[in-house]
Amino acid sequence: MTLVQKSSENTIQLTQYSHGAGCGCKISPKLLESLLETQTKTSFYPNLLVGNSTNDDAAAYDLGNGTSVLSTTDFFMPIVDDLFTFGQIAATNAISDIYAMGGQPLMAIAIFGWPIDKLPAEVGRAVLEGGRATCEAAGIPLAGGHSIDAPEPIFGLAVTGLADNQYLKRNASAEVGCELFLTKPIGIGILTTAQKQQKIQPDHLQVAIDAMTTLNRIGTELAKMDSVTAMTDVTGFGLLGHLIEVCEGSGIAAQIDFAKVPLLAHAHDYLAQGCTPGGAQRNFDSFGHKASALFGSALTPDQQAILCDPQTSGGLLVAVKSEAVAEFHQVAKQHGLALHSFGKTVEASSQSHVVEVIA
């Protein structure tokens, strides 16, 4: 279990100062696509191995010596009330993009927005301390940053990393015949929504916090396996959204066994109590038409809510060649993980559905 330090300013309910929470704050995929449209003619940069054409986790720039520098940024509004823990989660989430590319993080720069007319400086300091603690755990310095006076609390990192080009992993390189794995269960958005609605039991919330504050270090090791054909982390677009990105980028399709999708304890209970994040509906409205249940029927409400649940600091989605699953399990075991396949990659069909969900 991840050890989480509680801040002394525990009377502050940080989530009450923001309209959204964690990666659930992300702009919907449909709107984001519209925002990123451009008529600007851009230059060709031959050393830019990975840009934003496939919605990958980080940019990769070839240094010409067999390695690439990785660059990413991620930030959001509070997802938990505890200040130090919020800092930890935001930092863990940002560093994850480097691990998802198979890289090793080198350093981080803080992105910090604070409503100085509503919350005192010592409260913000506790958030930064949480971020600094996570950077130390990852073995990197929090080397600087930038801050602004903002109407809502915002924290995150810009992270620089390094990767061997031969081990660089993409979200658009999956192959047919792979088994699909998640290194963390999903359901974070449901549990944190239950917190915001003041319905959750403290020990149930801790389950989500433990997941969100666990670094995805395993990505650096998995990247060294030739049998791992694609890798990405699951964040604000939910499992379904990020799997669709993998499939469309790779020109393939996928089948999910819904009963085998790993889910955090108690998530079903809170879903039954109406704790569905608003981001889940935005996600489904954006890409739900690209998924179907068996024989082309519509996904059930529970399938929609769970598969589109926005994750904050979620796990890695990994595509592994079937013949190498035993080796994959060995690496996972070394990291204390017992993982089970929840789906597989298949040939793309002429139908519009990219992902088929088997109940």
Side-chain angles (χ1 to χ4, degrees):
M1 178 178 291
T2 303
L3 296 178
V4 179
Q5 175 180 325
K6 297 297 181 183
S7 56
S8 59
E9 299 84 357
N10 54 13
T11 59
I12 298 290
Q13 289 187 305
L14 202 57
T15 55
Q16 302 307 308
Y17 289 86
S18 62
H19 75 277
C23 285
C25 301
K26 292 179 81 168
I27 293 174
S28 74
K30 184 186 298 184
L31 181 55
L32 182 60
E33 184 178 346
S34 175
L35 285 170
L36 294 177
E37 286 182 3
T38 179
Q39 302 300 319
T40 303
K41 184 178 180 181
T42 57
S43 301
F44 173 66
Y45 299 93
N47 287 65
L48 184 64
L49 300 184
V50 183
N52 61 9
S53 60
T54 56
N55 303 312
D56 229 313
D57 295 296
Y61 191 89
D62 188 359
L63 297 177
N65 61 356
T67 63
S68 288
V69 63
L70 305 178
S71 182
T72 185
T73 184
D74 216 317
F75 52 91
F76 44 67
M77 291 170 274
I79 190 167
V80 293
D81 287 324
D82 187 76
L83 312 170
F84 187 90
T85 306
F86 168 48
Q88 287 183 300
I89 292 169
T92 304
N93 178 74
I95 296 170
S96 178
D97 286 342
I98 301 297
Y99 292 132
M101 298 287 289
Q104 186 67 44
L106 296 177
M107 66 175 179
I109 302 294
I111 300 163
F112 188 69
W114 203 249
I116 57 176
D117 60 331
K118 301 174 185 175
L119 293 169
E122 58 266 26
V123 175
R125 185 186 309 126
V127 174
L128 291 170
E129 283 300 299
R132 186 174 288 110
T134 291
C135 288
E136 285 293 320
I140 63 173
L142 183 56
H146 184 69
S147 60
I148 61 169
D149 181 4
E152 297 178 288
I154 297 171
F155 179 61
L157 303 176
V159 188
T160 302
L162 198 66
D164 288 339
N165 289 346
Q166 62 178 324
Y167 299 139
L168 188 66
K169 294 299 180 184
R170 304 282 308 276
N171 71 350
S173 53
E175 300 175 7
V176 171
C178 291
E179 295 193 30
L180 298 172
F181 294 87
L182 276 172
T183 62
K184 294 181 186 180
I186 61 173
I188 287 170
I190 295 168
L191 294 185
T192 53
T193 298
Q195 175 204 218
K196 201 168 181 67
Q197 295 182 6
Q198 299 182 343
K199 296 178 179 177
I200 199 164
Q201 297 181 32
D203 56 332
H204 295 176
L205 178 61
Q206 189 61 45
V207 170
I209 290 173
D210 289 343
M212 290 187 287
T213 53
T214 298
L215 290 162
N216 284 323
R217 300 179 190 272
I218 191 174
T220 305
E221 297 304 314
L222 292 178
K224 297 174 183 178
M225 296 176 58
D226 291 338
S227 53
V228 171
T229 62
M231 192 160 59
T232 189
D233 61 349
V234 178
T235 55
F237 297 159
L239 173 58
L240 185 60
H242 291 287
L243 179 56
I244 287 173
E245 286 183 338
V246 168
C247 290
E248 290 186 332
S250 307
I252 60 174
Q255 291 179 342
I256 293 177
D257 186 336
F258 184 70
K260 294 182 179 179
V261 173
L263 193 64
L264 288 171
H266 315 295
H268 272 300
D269 297 335
Y270 290 110
L271 188 61
Q273 296 179 44
C275 301
T276 303
Q281 187 61 54
R282 291 194 298 273
N283 284 340
F284 186 76
D285 290 343
S286 294
F287 49 70
H289 62 283
K290 297 180 180 180
S292 73
L294 196 60
F295 307 122
S297 59
L299 301 184
T300 67
D302 275 6
Q303 288 173 336
Q304 293 178 28
I306 290 171
L307 296 178
C308 295
D309 182 44
Q311 303 305 287
T312 298
S313 192
L316 301 177
L317 169 59
V318 190
V320 185
K321 291 181 180 179
S322 297
E323 63 269 21
V325 165
E327 180 190 0
F328 171 81
H329 283 308
Q330 281 297 111
V331 176
K333 185 178 180 180
Q334 292 169 9
H335 286 258
L337 300 174
L339 306 177
H340 302 281
S341 171
F342 67 91
K344 61 183 179 181
T345 56
V346 297
E347 294 278 358
S349 70
S350 58
Q351 299 178 349
S352 60
H353 298 145
V354 179
V355 175
E356 182 182 51
V357 180
I358 302 171

